[in-house]
Amino acid sequence: MKRLALAAFAATLAELSGVALTATAVWLVVRAADQPPMAALTVAVVAVRALALSRGALRYAERLAGHDAVLRHLADLRGRVYESLLRQPVQRRGGDLVTRLVSDVDAVQDVVLRCLLPACAAGLVGAVAVLVVPALVLPVLLLGVVLPLAAFSLADSHLRALAPLRSRLAERTVALVHGAAELTAFGVLDDELARSGRVITDIATREHRATTRTGALTAVAVLIQFGTALALLSTGAPAPVVLGAVAVLEVFLPLTTAAQRWAETRGSLTRVRELLTARRPVPALTEDLPPGTRLAVVGPSGAGKTTLLSRFAVPDARGALADAHVFHTTVRANVLLAKPDATQEELDFAAHTTDLDLPWDLVVGEHGTALSGGQRQRLILTRAVLSTPPVLLLDEPVEGLPPTQADQVLHRVLSTAPSTVVLITHRLTPLAHEHFDEILVLDNGVITQRGTHATLVTTPGYYRDRWKDETSKSEYRNSYR
Amino acid sequence: MRDRRYATLLGVFAVATAVLVLAQADLLARVLSGGDGIGPLAAVVVVRAVLVGARRVYAQRTATTVKAELRKQVLADAATRRGDRAGEVSTLVTRGLDAIEPYLAGYLPQLAVAAVVPLAVLLRLAFADLTAAVTILVTLPLVPVFAALVGAHTRDSTERQWAELSAVGGHFLDVVAGLSTLRLFGRASAQAVTVRAMATAHADSTMRTLRVAFLSALVLELVATLSVALVAVPVGLRLLSGGVTLEVALLVLLLAPEAYLPLRAAGAQFHAAAEGLAVLEQVAATAPPPATANRRPPDLSRAEIVLEDVGVRSLRGFSLRIAPGERIALVGPSGAGKTTLLSLLLGEITPTSGRVLVGGVDLREIDRVAWLRRVAWVPQTPTVFEGTVADNIAVGGPGAVAAAHAVGLGALVDARHALSSGERQRVAVARALVRPDARLLLLDEPTARLDSGTEATVLRVTRTLSRGRTTVLVAHRPALLDEVDRVVEVR
């Protein structure tokens, strides 16, 4: 804050030096035309040279102080954002959301340097100028308040109208890139590109329209700046005042652009502020999970099983969740995350439990892209097993493995697991063979049935139907080989 | 074509600006020194305002048009090139391409002005006051020279700085993306310290670089202001001795800053412009030319599909004969190359060794569009596009509503909300269902992540679908294996 005030002060002095340089130089010339004795000009000559030097030096000081303040602030802000993220409940964050959060934080830097500092400096310069030449109050208010406000509201309404189009474009792009192979296979890639093209054209049309308004604002700013000079001239103001006024108003010209910039970054600032002030939520379902409980959750796809699981994410819980992140580093480091001081024996044992057959020093790509789906799944599961947590959460931990292997891995994981376990599964076979205290049947986010496997298979309902399906369909055939 | 027209028009604007700057300075000097001409001066001011506004509108409109064209191009490239990260493409298409606006609509017009106005000012001053003109002529080149000197000195540290910046940004990004994982393993609070430490260290090193980098701005500023002082003081002194008139002295004073102003303005926009230029270069990396294969696909109800000693990705020397109408299940450990095999049959990838033959014709020589018309494919992780469930099924072909009912999505036909993974899978099966002309059916774990109730529906549909069609399906679940004629192991 102190650094920022320093930067604003230096900026103001730099601008004032510039104005004073113009006014003094003009005064010097006009005075010299009267051919006074040389001594009458000495002070002005010295002043012109000093002001010329000080303006550059002050500008340099302002830039350094401003950037210094902003960078320190940014370091602190990143820490605070991260800490407040820690306080939030576990939730899925798409890659785009994460990128946006990071650039939101960076946008704060922009606002301070490009909007806040110039506005402060212009305000102070304007105040001084009005004190010296009271007639300047009108143009200063026009250029410093009215025009920026107009620019802000124009940009704001423009961006509001544009926002849904832009997010539609972003969504379409993601779907297009993900689904390019499918679109090609179905022969509709060109249709889809044309549809996205129409969104792009809509955006361009709106942006086109907005240029007329910003162009008009720029023209009006020039008119006010030199119109003021003309008005002063016609009232017979002395030359230093006229050209000094032009220099003062020059300081205000960037404010119109700054106001537009402010409108552009306002969304970022709001999002960062909301994140920082978010209250710590109360964990919802923790009391439903007494220590030592083994709980299974089943239900049709889309029933809200994963959402339910995330509510069990109490501080002691570890596990293999659907949104588990594979970091851009070695397999070893990714697994060691669970237990940094684990020995090689512990690592090997965990890998044996989950059938993980990857080299420990293999570097996985960004987001684990160098791994196949099944390998990624087992890496995440190995991490969960290694951590031996008080509460183990498993979300379809063996999906993507052949059923025999899947059942074996799940059996080994559960037999080495701690007392409290929550398992989401669509296959009911493991629930018949492994011990679970309670099975929750979920539909549409609501628990429709609960009980043990033995009671549920005898109760009419979703669970019994599915169990009959699964057992009748040669699901028990040992293997396909 | 448009490039040249844009450059020409920017040149015209710059020349008009130069004329107006000179006229305004001349008239202002005359009025200030007691002459008349306030009327013409007002006219010049109005014309100048209109010109500035018009230039801005024109430049921004051009940038908008270019942006729209590049957006379309990036989308088309990404769709044909494949393998790009969707998030990156989406950022480039939205915010990324916005960065070219400061370059096209800000920097380039300013560059044109910087090329024309200082010359015009020098010429005018040469006629009015040679000494002032010479002073400016000598100092003006110092601006780019010093800027280049400081730039060369800071280039290394600036590059290091950028690398570091993206490292800090990348670390923050990875940590935030993996937050729930870190928290799940109790490592999250330890990272908070690292986040702060990295950002603070970054601030320190950035400031070291900036201290030098801002020197170029300081030099620019000093050259400009000092030259004004260098021009103003001698002119004042010559005025004292009656060497020049007040009007000429004022003209010199008014015009001297105008010689430096455009260069400084262009310099100030250089950084934003560099970013835009980088984006333009990134976009210019164009997509590979489309394949020119044009043979008609053989009739799949008679043609045999042969994979001959095929090698690509994890597949090594894999051979397989698929008889017309045969239904085959691929099984094997994860990572063995089952999905790769389907990609080969789709023509998404080509083998690095060996061949894929359809009725004796290399798949690479067959017109891909015509081939794909004969194929129905259910991918492992289907993509849902904008629109209703019915719209999404219609991607495959006509008859979406009936197909939705067939896969048990009848109640969701008009739904637009996010679908669960099981629902997505059923949409993909329905897409295959609406392709009656397809003779080859490729299914990649169509029942993964389905509960057994939904699985039964999908199996029933698959059975109907595969009747009389050549079918290759990737299976983990035994229930699927009942549906096929032959099980092939990929290892």
Side-chain angles (χ1 to χ4, degrees), chain A residues 337-352:
Chain A
L337 185 73
K339 195 177 177 189
D341 53 351
T343 62
Q344 188 61 42
E345 283 74 36
E346 285 176 290
L347 276 176
D348 289 337
F349 179 73
H352 166 73

Side-chain angles (χ1 to χ4, degrees), chain B residues 101-228:
Chain B
E101 213 175 300
Y103 172 72
L104 281 180
Y107 182 66
L108 285 186
Q110 196 56 58
L111 207 59
V113 169
V116 176
V117 171
L119 272 182
V121 166
L122 270 178
L123 272 176
R124 177 68 188 90
L125 282 181
F127 286 107
D129 184 73
L130 203 55
T131 333
V134 170
T135 312
I136 292 174
L137 185 65
V138 171
T139 52
L140 199 56
L142 288 180
V143 175
V145 166
F146 269 103
L149 274 180
V150 175
H153 183 72
T154 53
R155 189 184 306 127
D156 288 348
S157 55
T158 313
E159 270 168 20
R160 243 198 335 272
Q161 146 88 22
W162 277 116
E164 206 177 303
L165 184 71
S166 48
V168 173
H171 174 259
F172 189 50
L173 196 72
D174 206 25
V175 164
V176 173
L179 184 66
S180 56
T181 303
L182 287 171
R183 171 167 28 204
L184 218 44
F185 293 99
R187 311 296 304 156
S189 6
Q191 285 295 331
V193 180
T194 321
V195 166
R196 270 174 206 269
M198 273 186 91
T200 309
H202 170 67
D204 288 340
S205 74
T206 308
M207 282 317 292
R208 275 196 297 279
T209 316
L210 286 184
R211 240 164 249 142
V212 186
F214 286 157
L215 277 181
S216 71
L218 172 67
V219 170
L220 278 170
E221 202 88 32
L222 280 182
V223 169
T225 46
L226 275 181
S227 315
V228 174

Side-chain angles (χ1 to χ4, degrees), chain A residues 442-471:
Chain A
L442 212 62
D443 198 2
N444 260 325
V446 183
I447 298 169
T448 53
Q449 280 184 292
R450 56 201 305 170
T452 60
H453 176 75
T455 56
L456 284 174
V457 287
T458 54
T459 319
Y462 174 88
Y463 195 90
R464 196 179 67 169
D465 297 348
R466 295 293 78 82
W467 176 250
K468 277 185 179 161
D469 276 358
E470 213 172 287
T471 44

Side-chain angles (χ1 to χ4, degrees), chain B residues 369-392:
Chain B
V369 174
W371 168 250
L372 288 171
R373 220 171 280 144
R374 299 267 161 217
V375 179
W377 172 45
V378 178
Q380 197 173 13
T381 45
T383 313
V384 179
F385 302 97
E386 195 194 34
T388 62
V389 166
D391 293 341
N392 263 287

Side-chain angles (χ1 to χ4, degrees), chain B residues 26-313:
Chain B
D26 260 322
L27 287 166
L28 201 52
R30 192 191 306 162
V31 174
L32 281 173
S33 57
D36 53 345
I38 199 151
L41 182 59
V44 166
V45 166
V46 170
V47 174
R48 196 176 173 187
V50 170
L51 186 80
V52 167
R55 190 186 71 184
R56 182 146 181 201
V57 170
Y58 172 66
Q60 284 195 327
R61 289 205 167 171
T62 306
T64 306
T65 313
V66 170
K67 232 163 47 176
E69 276 166 25
L70 288 177
R71 281 184 168 141
K72 289 177 190 168
Q73 187 201 322
V74 167
L75 276 188
D77 284 358
T80 36
R81 188 165 45 221
R82 306 287 157 79
D84 292 355
R85 296 263 308 274
E88 276 166 21
V89 177
S90 137
T91 310
L92 178 62
V93 165
T94 51
R95 274 171 290 153
L97 276 173
D98 279 338
I100 67 165
E101 213 175 300
Y103 172 72
L104 281 180
Y107 182 66
L108 285 186
Q110 196 56 58
L111 207 59
V113 169
V116 176
V117 171
L119 272 182
V121 166
L122 270 178
L123 272 176
R124 177 68 188 90
L125 282 181
F127 286 107
D129 184 73
L130 203 55
T131 333
V134 170
T135 312
I136 292 174
L137 185 65
V138 171
T139 52
L140 199 56
L142 288 180
V143 175
V145 166
F146 269 103
L149 274 180
V150 175
H153 183 72
T154 53
R155 189 184 306 127
D156 288 348
S157 55
T158 313
E159 270 168 20
R160 243 198 335 272
Q161 146 88 22
W162 277 116
E164 206 177 303
L165 184 71
S166 48
V168 173
H171 174 259
F172 189 50
L173 196 72
D174 206 25
V175 164
V176 173
L179 184 66
S180 56
T181 303
L182 287 171
R183 171 167 28 204
L184 218 44
F185 293 99
R187 311 296 304 156
S189 6
Q191 285 295 331
V193 180
T194 321
V195 166
R196 270 174 206 269
M198 273 186 91
T200 309
H202 170 67
D204 288 340
S205 74
T206 308
M207 282 317 292
R208 275 196 297 279
T209 316
L210 286 184
R211 240 164 249 142
V212 186
F214 286 157
L215 277 181
S216 71
L218 172 67
V219 170
L220 278 170
E221 202 88 32
L222 280 182
V223 169
T225 46
L226 275 181
S227 315
V228 174
L230 281 180
V231 170
V233 173
V235 158
L237 295 182
R238 263 180 298 136
L239 202 56
L240 208 55
S241 62
V244 286
T245 62
L246 175 61
E247 189 182 334
V248 169
L250 280 171
L251 179 68
V252 168
L253 205 56
L254 286 169
L255 279 183
E258 297 286 354
Y260 302 94
L261 194 67
L263 278 177
R264 278 161 60 201
Q269 296 190 12
F270 180 72
H271 266 297
E275 202 180 311
L277 203 57
V279 170
L280 278 178
E281 277 165 12
Q282 188 185 343
V283 172
T286 44
T292 49
N294 53 10
R295 295 195 53 174
R296 282 183 40 165
D299 180 4
L300 277 167
S301 55
R302 275 192 298 257
E304 192 183 39
I305 300 174
V306 180
L307 286 95
E308 209 178 67
D309 215 13
V310 168
V312 63
R313 296 191 190 155

